[in-house]
Amino acid sequence: MIRPVLRMGDPRLLRRSRPVADFASAALRELLDDLFDTMHAQDGAGLAAPQIGVDLRLVVFGFEHNARYPQAEPIPLTVLINPSIEALGGEEEGGWEGCLSVPGLRGWVPRLRRIRYRGFDEAGRAFGREAEGFHARVVQHECDHLDGILYPMRMRDLSRFGFVDALFPEGGDAAGRQ
Ligand code: NI
């Protein structure tokens, strides 16, 4: 079921979410279905449970091809529960981000370029992956939602924050949403 996405200003987006304790439950299955339905309905690259008002440490992300990021490499469709992120190398890079909770806007956000992330899938199996570039960016953005952090709170240069059609009148790869 497609759920309404909370928008910046809603205090539920600022909470630190609780760990998932009950894996492989019907309620978890239904929540994951709703997250994927909602993400796909809006062409998102990812979505975190708090964005639909659910106070749990759970994110989904991934795409084969995303119309909003046509240059982006595919990211495996992923359920990531109770995640942790470790920096690899410590190097940062900037990139444009959007967010379904911050509709119509984009900002230039510094992120770790390479990370290792770990967590659990929907069956409670532990897994981990190394990621870099846009994949690493999406994971950091989504996991920030679990700590009540929206991408504008990570920005250092607010002159690179604006409405997508004003920033990119020609359209193009930066017209993305997460
Ligand atoms: Ni977001």
Side-chain angles (χ1 to χ4, degrees), residues 13-17 143-150 153:
L13 288 171
L14 299 176
R15 296 185 294 197
R16 183 173 165 83
S17 297
C143 291
D144 263 357
H145 279 295
L146 307 180
D147 292 325
I149 298 168
L150 300 168
M153 297 155 71

Side-chain angles (χ1 to χ4, degrees), residues 133-154:
F134 192 65
H135 184 171
R137 175 171 300 278
V138 169
V139 173
Q140 290 169 85
H141 174 116
E142 297 310 331
C143 291
D144 263 357
H145 279 295
L146 307 180
D147 292 325
I149 298 168
L150 300 168
Y151 79 79
M153 297 155 71
R154 293 286 192 194

Side-chain angles (χ1 to χ4, degrees), residues 53-73:
V54 175
D55 177 28
L56 288 172
R57 303 187 75 77
L58 190 165
V59 305
V60 301
F61 54 85
F63 54 84
E64 183 62 35
H65 179 82
N66 190 293
R68 307 289 170 179
Y69 294 97
Q71 308 302 324
E73 294 283 314

